[in-house]
Amino acid sequence: MSTNLTKQTHFDAIIIGAGACGLMCAVQAGYLGKRVLVLEKNEQPGAKILISGGGRCNYTNLYASAQQFISQNEHFCKSAFAQWSVEDTISFFETYGITGHEKTLGQLFPVSNKAKDVVQVFTGLCEDFGQEIWCGTEVTDVISADNGFEISVIRNGRNVSLTTEKVVVAAGGLPIPKMGATDLGLRIARKFGLKITETAPALVPLTITGKDQPWYEQLSGNSIFCRVWNDRISFEENILFTHWGLSGPAILQISSYWRPGEFIYIDLLPHQDIVDLIQQEREVNGKKMLLNFMSGLFTRKFAEALSDKLPSDKNLASLTKTELENIGALIHEFKVKPAGDKGYDKAEVMRGGVSADELSSKTLEAKKVPGLFFGGECVDVTGWLGGYNFQWAWASGFVIAQNI
Ligand code: FDA
């Protein structure tokens, strides 16, 4: 393959990645009369937007604030959110015919429930502004050059070299490699001497192996509303048992705060006290078997599964003080030691990324490398489940557009 130094039209910047951040950046640059070229490895833009929220795209969260983001510098995202708020996201999409409906916990989805409507807003606006998107174009390298940068790409099987004064790295994180995810953002950062905060899968199911695994497997498909916590954080949402461990929103949330080797704790009945409930019931119905009592609180399947951890064949009146204490501990402090997580194939996001110390929080430009910008998931800003990650992608794309 030969390398061509292409004769380019003048672009104010080249954006790597036509995902949520890159597309928002291209559109916002368009409003400001700036011309950009977007390079995308996939054959279509916005691949992850299309699959997000089960194809419905949870595009923001009404309650988004810096508190729902993990970063080594928890203040870093505040400036971007001050420049582009949740209200800005809502009114931006409303302007182009997408109204939101709140599903739960502030999670906003398009009323149409179609993620493709979200992508079409961006592709339509890019066309209107004359922003070019080159799909099927893989960026392989970025190096410093006179007056800026030289970007190496493979396009239509040919090596092509592009020059630009400003580069926006919006190449996403490591999750779902089969959808185009690469480590390019991290590679570029390393190449220019920028620190990386350790990366790991986040919003990811957790696995259970060994002698405990069959217990979880027998419950596969059962979902329970719980409080899940560790010494850093606590979430109240459903957990889902699977044949290999635990999933569901509460588990995905805690996974971002879990480290290998640690326990997580589950309150299986977060708004009631199991011991009080048993004591009330045994005053009126002491002969009731514990198994039947538990079946009234949980599914029969779950109550039966608890039987090998509880004296389920005893009636309520005959439970001893110690047994009641053990039931309380089991239900309200169910201890789980995950073996691991399902990795980048199943993770919704990547934790860590380009260190916040290396970027200006106001502009997202690398402090040591003028003209080099990082936004979206490749930066060390990781949101909770529920539309927070897109809010960061939109906000960071907006901020960069103001500064290229
Ligand atoms: P994004 O990954 O969107 O875009 C990066 C782009 O760069 C990709 O298109 C990629 O192909 C391209 N690229 C990578 N390497 C390249 C290279 N070498 N050359 C050229 N192009 C390259 N969030 C949320 O808020 N609400 C939700 O409902 C969901 N749902 C959801 C479901 C699933 C299954 C996943 C995996 C993730 C989510 N997310 C989510 C997370 C959300 O998708 C994610 O945070 C954003 O897409 C990140 O936007 P970026 O633009 O940073 O990366």
Side-chain angles (χ1 to χ4, degrees):
M1 283 192 290
S2 63
T3 299
N4 281 17
L5 203 57
T6 55
K7 284 206 185 88
Q8 291 170 224
T9 349
H10 177 76
F11 293 106
D12 292 292
I14 290 182
I15 298 173
I16 305 174
C21 175
L23 289 171
M24 182 59 100
C25 186
V27 163
Q28 296 297 334
Y31 287 126
L32 300 171
K34 300 174 188 177
R35 288 214 59 210
V36 299
L37 168 63
V38 187
L39 305 174
E40 171 55 52
K41 178 175 176 254
N42 287 332
E43 294 303 329
Q44 60 175 345
K48 274 200 189 158
I49 302 175
L50 290 172
I51 59 150
S52 67
R56 293 176 299 158
C57 187
N58 174 198
Y59 64 93
T60 191
N61 192 295
L62 296 173
Y63 309 123
S65 73
Q67 282 166 8
Q68 297 90 20
F69 290 84
I70 305 167
S71 172
Q72 282 213 330
N73 177 350
E74 61 197 32
H75 303 292
F76 178 75
C77 60
K78 288 182 180 169
S79 172
F81 290 144
Q83 295 178 64
W84 180 270
S85 64
V86 172
E87 289 70 36
D88 290 320
T89 299
I90 293 170
S91 65
F92 170 80
F93 283 112
E94 275 179 359
T95 306
Y96 300 104
I98 295 185
T99 37
H101 72 100
E102 182 187 352
K103 202 178 108 194
T104 174
L105 301 170
Q107 300 169 10
L108 229 59
F109 291 75
V111 169
S112 70
N113 274 327
K114 287 184 185 143
K116 76 172 169 29
D117 293 351
V118 173
V119 175
Q120 273 166 9
V121 167
F122 291 108
T123 49
L125 285 169
C126 280
E127 211 174 312
D128 294 349
F129 289 127
Q131 307 293 41
E132 285 189 39
I133 304 178
W134 291 4
C135 286
T137 306
E138 179 171 6
V139 174
T140 53
D141 202 7
V142 177
I143 56 169
S144 294
D146 292 345
N147 297 327
F149 305 89
E150 192 178 307
I151 303 182
S152 304
V153 307
I154 302 175
R155 181 166 163 74
N156 300 329
R158 289 167 62 86
N159 289 326
V160 178
S161 180
L162 304 164
T163 55
T164 178
E165 283 166 31
K166 289 170 180 164
V167 179
V168 179
V169 185
L174 297 170
I176 329 268
K178 69 173 189 273
M179 294 199 62
T182 70
D183 66 348
L184 182 78
L186 304 175
R187 260 194 288 134
I188 296 173
R190 278 193 202 100
K191 179 149 203 168
F192 285 91
L194 310 186
K195 270 189 308 182
I196 306 285
T197 302
E198 190 187 357
T199 55
L203 300 181
V204 64
L206 298 174
T207 57
I208 312 282
T209 55
K211 65 176 175 29
D212 291 336
Q213 186 269 339
W215 193 84
Y216 289 83
E217 186 175 14
Q218 67 175 327
L219 286 168
S220 181
N222 278 256
S223 181
I224 299 180
F225 181 81
C226 294
R227 185 170 76 87
V228 179
W229 82 96
N230 63 11
D231 56 5
R232 303 183 186 96
I233 194 101
S234 150
F235 293 98
E236 272 190 18
E237 278 186 78
N238 282 352
I239 63 166
L240 174 70
F241 290 87
T242 71
H243 60 278
W244 37 256
L246 286 168
S247 187
I251 295 298
L252 299 186
Q253 298 280 34
I254 200 89
S255 74
S256 301
Y257 292 86
W258 175 80
R259 301 294 176 271
E262 292 180 355
F263 284 94
I264 57 169
Y265 301 89
I266 304 178
D267 185 340
L268 295 159
L269 203 61
H271 295 290
Q272 295 174 84
D273 184 327
I274 187 79
V275 176
D276 284 352
L277 292 178
I278 291 174
Q279 268 159 353
Q280 282 163 25
E281 182 70 17
R282 74 174 170 184
E283 277 173 23
V284 288
N285 197 358
K287 290 199 173 125
K288 192 171 202 172
M289 303 303 283
L290 182 60
L291 173 62
N292 291 339
F293 177 74
M294 286 295 185
S295 301
L297 295 174
F298 304 103
T299 61
R300 180 81 188 178
K301 179 89 191 153
F302 190 65
E304 279 171 2
L306 286 176
S307 291
D308 62 5
K309 302 179 191 296
L310 294 175
S312 290
D313 53 350
K314 289 186 77 172
N315 65 37
L316 300 183
S318 65
L319 293 170
T320 65
K321 189 165 171 277
T322 309
E323 282 168 338
L324 282 175
E325 280 167 9
N326 290 344
I327 295 169
L330 184 85
I331 297 300
H332 295 299
E333 204 165 314
F334 191 91
K335 218 170 154 186
V336 182
K337 190 172 188 184
D341 63 52
K342 290 293 273 182
Y344 283 115
D345 284 344
K346 297 285 178 208
E348 282 205 11
V349 285
M350 173 182 86
R351 184 162 51 76
V354 181
S355 168
D357 293 348
E358 301 286 4
L359 307 176
S360 153
S361 63
K362 289 193 178 63
T363 64
L364 300 180
E365 187 171 19
K367 290 175 188 165
K368 309 182 199 155
V369 193
L372 183 63
F373 295 79
F374 290 86
E377 198 176 323
C378 61
V379 177
D380 175 27
V381 174
T382 309
W384 287 3
L385 185 80
Y388 298 97
N389 286 294
F390 278 138
Q391 183 57 27
W392 165 247
W394 313 135
S396 54
F398 171 85
V399 166
I400 296 172
Q402 312 308 302
N403 294 286
I404 50 176

